[in-house]
Amino acid sequence: MAKREVNIWDIIFWLGMIILIGYIIAKLFGLINTPEWLNLLPLITLAFIIGAFYQKVIGFMDRILIRTDYLK
């Protein structure tokens, strides 16, 4: 099995997912009692996750373009 390269976008994506899931679980169990403006933390984290996912898709599309460039 080939080794998979880990880059910064993988780390940002998984770190964002861990923060989001941890926040949701802590909020459900009542461990987090925050002011209203801090309730936007999941939305901010989601924005980072979407950005990292976008970067991964763009990188994948670039690799596919390079691999299929000879078909032109």
Side-chain angles (χ1 to χ4, degrees):
M1 187 172 218
K3 264 188 145 177
R4 185 164 178 259
E5 179 183 326
V6 177
N7 59 26
I8 188 71
W9 303 114
D10 291 330
I11 295 169
I12 289 173
F13 177 79
W14 287 113
L15 187 62
M17 289 299 288
I18 290 170
I19 290 171
L20 186 61
I21 290 169
Y23 178 85
I24 290 170
I25 290 172
K27 192 73 170 169
L28 286 174
F29 285 112
L31 299 174
I32 298 176
N33 297 318
T34 57
E36 216 36 57
W37 65 274
L38 279 179
N39 287 331
L40 296 176
L41 181 63
L43 295 176
I44 295 168
T45 304
L46 191 61
F48 279 104
I49 291 170
I50 290 170
F53 181 73
Y54 175 75
Q55 290 296 323
K56 293 294 289 180
V57 168
I58 294 298
F60 176 74
M61 295 302 284
D62 285 342
R63 279 198 315 264
I64 294 298
L65 180 65
I66 290 169
R67 290 180 184 172
T68 60
D69 194 33
Y70 69 91
L71 296 174
K72 290 182 182 176

